[in-house]
Amino acid sequence: MSGSSTPDAFDGGARTDSQSDLGRPGEGLTLLLADDDAQLREALTMHLESRGYDVTEAADGEAALAEATRLIPDIAILDIVMPGANGWDVARSLRKNPETKDIRLLMLSGIGKDVLGPNLPILGGDVGLDKPFELDELDEALRVLLTT
């Protein structure tokens, strides 16, 4: 089976043709991706753009908050552990602002599902994804965000 040249963001393997048949569910949607890991941002941006999302990147919490306020994206993917304002701080600030309160928030973290899940509704996130994750798990988390 021939594989696509798009790398898998987490194990270095190539995605298969069946993975690339998922279409472009993000067509016409804006997405803010905030993570302090430049390599992860680059890999996720490439994947998300291949799914049709218009991606804007931020490397820390302050930049994420500024970009979210400026753009009002449909979705924001926020890493929880970032320099300066962390993802929870950004989520709380976005929820308090009438202009940004409806942005769908996907929180990323390596803190563990047992900690991440129960804290999502308390701290403003809609969906959580524990690192490391596969790209199909990211796609599913985004699908859930878009259908709820």
Side-chain angles (χ1 to χ4, degrees), residues 50-112:
S50 78
R51 296 290 188 255
Y53 295 96
D54 179 10
V55 179
T56 298
E57 296 181 16
D60 60 48
E62 287 89 359
L65 189 54
E67 287 297 319
T69 303
R70 181 180 70 81
L71 293 172
I72 317 293
D74 297 295
I75 297 170
I77 299 176
L78 304 173
D79 184 26
I80 292 174
V81 180
M82 292 187 287
N86 64 42
W88 293 130
D89 295 334
V90 175
R92 280 191 301 270
S93 294
L94 294 175
R95 292 299 188 229
K96 288 179 185 176
N97 181 338
E99 293 181 9
T100 60
K101 69 179 179 61
D102 294 325
I103 296 172
R104 297 173 191 119
L105 301 180
L106 170 56
M107 308 302 289
L108 301 181
S109 181
I111 61 175

Side-chain angles (χ1 to χ4, degrees), residues 9-139:
F10 307 102
D11 66 13
R15 290 181 23 244
T16 64
D17 288 335
S18 64
Q19 287 172 307
S20 63
D21 292 338
L22 296 175
R24 295 175 57 87
E27 197 70 49
L29 297 175
T30 57
L31 186 145
L32 172 63
L33 173 60
D35 197 299
D36 58 322
D37 183 331
Q39 289 181 319
L40 180 61
R41 275 196 327 271
E42 180 181 351
L44 292 180
T45 295
M46 186 169 47
H47 174 75
L48 292 164
E49 287 177 343
S50 78
R51 296 290 188 255
Y53 295 96
D54 179 10
V55 179
T56 298
E57 296 181 16
D60 60 48
E62 287 89 359
L65 189 54
E67 287 297 319
T69 303
R70 181 180 70 81
L71 293 172
I72 317 293
D74 297 295
I75 297 170
I77 299 176
L78 304 173
D79 184 26
I80 292 174
V81 180
M82 292 187 287
N86 64 42
W88 293 130
D89 295 334
V90 175
R92 280 191 301 270
S93 294
L94 294 175
R95 292 299 188 229
K96 288 179 185 176
N97 181 338
E99 293 181 9
T100 60
K101 69 179 179 61
D102 294 325
I103 296 172
R104 297 173 191 119
L105 301 180
L106 170 56
M107 308 302 289
L108 301 181
S109 181
I111 61 175
K113 293 176 187 174
D114 293 339
V115 175
L116 181 60
N119 287 302
L120 283 170
I122 297 166
L123 298 170
D126 295 308
V127 174
L129 194 55
D130 200 46
K131 294 179 182 179
F133 54 86
E134 299 293 326
L135 293 176
D136 61 342
E137 293 175 289
L138 174 63
D139 291 337

